[in-house]
Amino acid sequence: MSNPLMRVLRDASFAALAAGFVTVLVGFASSAVIVFQAAQALGASEGEIASWMWALGLGMGVTCIGLSLRYRVPVVTAWSTPGAAMLIASSAGVPYAEAIGAFVLSAILMAVAGFSGVFERSLSRIPVSLASGMLAGVLLRFGLDVFVSMQTQLLMALAMFVTYLCGRRLFPRYAVIATLAMGIAIAAASGLLHLETVRLEWARPVFTTPALSLASLFGIALPLFIVTMTSQNVPGVAVIRASGYQVPISPVIGWTGVVNTVLAPFGAFALNLAAITAAICMGREAHHDPDRRYVAAICAGLFYVLIGLFGATVA
């Protein structure tokens, strides 16, 4: 057994495993539908949508595991939810192959911006208070959505909300897991949990030869790159720094872009640093020792890979 593996096993804990699971659960449950809609807007078939899930899951998994092992810091990646929303709004009329080409170009631009240091130098000119304000704006929307949910599922949302508040007070490390268990129990009791419709099915990656046109360049590639870097990577860096971790941003962004470039022909439209889900792996819930929280990000990566392999089931 190699020394790195021995160290990971020594630093592993159930809390880290739970934090990694919740990270993936929140990431998929909060925005997977938007990704499906983006793929459908580009005319993707059911098999190609499953390939998107395969590529995204594999890309997030590889970057989470690789970068966290390399720097011994919880580095969590995600797909670009604003980028997916942009695809829904602006991809009309663009052929699927040209959209794939735009994904590849956007990923290459990210790798260049990372390895060249351009992104990190630009980031140093953004006041910390502004980056923190962007992150607070994202978190505020998620917090307020709890009360929006109460309009349609009052019992479930209220019970989960109370469970979370009590859990934060009594057993903070497992508060999110307890909240999830409460929601599942109420859904099962109410007849809302339809597990009979779920069937395990391996995803088959579908390679699409990239093409490019002026329409896909200016309509998808450049906007996707700008949206991903500004609305995703900037808050992602803010979370890392607010959590007290020091990570070389340029190679992290660069290698994320490289992985994204390799998987873009299979549907990985945009990978970036996570913000909301990253905070789960960087808090005390993941481990009371900050130096051992990187295992939570590794666990998240393993769950991402697992979901990617069963991308057809997710789709």
Side-chain angles (χ1 to χ4, degrees):
M1 230 183 246
S2 62
N3 289 332
L5 181 56
M6 287 289 291
R7 179 173 178 176
V8 171
L9 292 177
R10 186 183 69 245
D11 292 341
S13 64
F14 178 75
L17 180 67
F21 174 74
V22 172
T23 295
V24 174
L25 182 68
V26 171
F28 269 85
S30 62
S31 58
V33 173
I34 299 176
V35 176
F36 296 152
Q37 291 176 342
Q40 291 169 349
L42 289 168
S45 65
E46 185 174 332
E48 287 167 338
I49 294 176
S51 180
W52 278 44
M53 290 295 106
W54 176 87
L56 291 167
L58 198 63
M60 293 184 291
V62 167
T63 48
C64 283
I65 296 170
L67 294 173
S68 297
L69 280 174
R70 171 65 180 84
Y71 299 110
R72 289 294 188 271
V73 165
V75 179
V76 182
T77 56
W79 58 51
S80 175
T81 302
M86 186 217 72
L87 291 175
I88 297 172
S90 63
S91 61
V94 177
Y96 185 75
E98 292 184 7
I100 292 293
F103 299 167
V104 173
L105 179 57
S106 174
I108 292 174
L109 291 174
M110 181 185 296
V112 171
F115 288 127
S116 67
V118 170
F119 175 72
E120 193 166 5
R121 287 195 296 272
S122 302
L123 197 63
S124 64
R125 299 181 181 180
I126 300 176
V128 176
S129 57
L130 180 59
S132 299
M134 292 176 62
L135 176 60
V138 175
L139 294 174
L140 178 63
R141 180 180 65 82
F142 271 80
L144 293 177
D145 280 350
V146 172
F147 301 98
V148 175
S149 301
M150 291 183 184
Q151 297 178 4
T152 54
Q153 292 290 342
L154 178 60
L155 176 61
M156 180 185 295
L158 187 59
M160 294 176 70
F161 182 57
V162 172
T163 301
Y164 177 75
L165 293 179
C166 295
R168 289 290 297 177
R169 180 69 177 176
L170 301 175
F171 39 89
R173 190 171 297 176
Y174 305 108
V176 176
I177 292 292
T179 304
L180 171 65
M182 175 63 73
I184 292 175
I186 294 178
S190 305
L192 299 175
L193 202 61
H194 301 292
L195 296 178
E196 68 278 1
T197 62
V198 178
R199 55 188 174 87
L200 292 179
E201 185 177 347
W202 292 100
R204 293 182 176 86
V206 178
F207 180 86
T208 300
T209 303
L212 202 61
S213 66
L214 288 178
S216 61
L217 171 63
F218 292 103
I220 296 180
L222 294 181
L224 182 61
F225 168 70
I226 293 171
V227 165
T228 299
M229 297 300 287
T230 56
S231 66
Q232 293 290 108
N233 280 327
V234 171
V237 173
V239 169
I240 293 175
R241 292 178 175 173
S243 300
Y245 292 106
Q246 297 298 321
V247 181
I249 300 302
S250 293
V252 166
I253 297 296
W255 283 114
T256 302
V258 169
V259 173
N260 195 169
T261 302
V262 172
L263 294 172
F266 299 96
F269 64 96
L271 299 175
N272 48 253
L273 289 175
I276 296 170
T277 51
I280 298 173
C281 290
M282 296 180 187
R284 289 185 59 84
E285 293 80 3
H287 203 280
H288 61 83
D289 183 358
D291 292 336
R292 296 175 64 178
R293 294 173 188 166
Y294 74 97
V295 179
I298 293 175
C299 291
L302 293 173
F303 283 119
Y304 274 134
V305 170
L306 184 63
I307 289 182
L309 293 176
F310 288 99
T313 299
V314 178

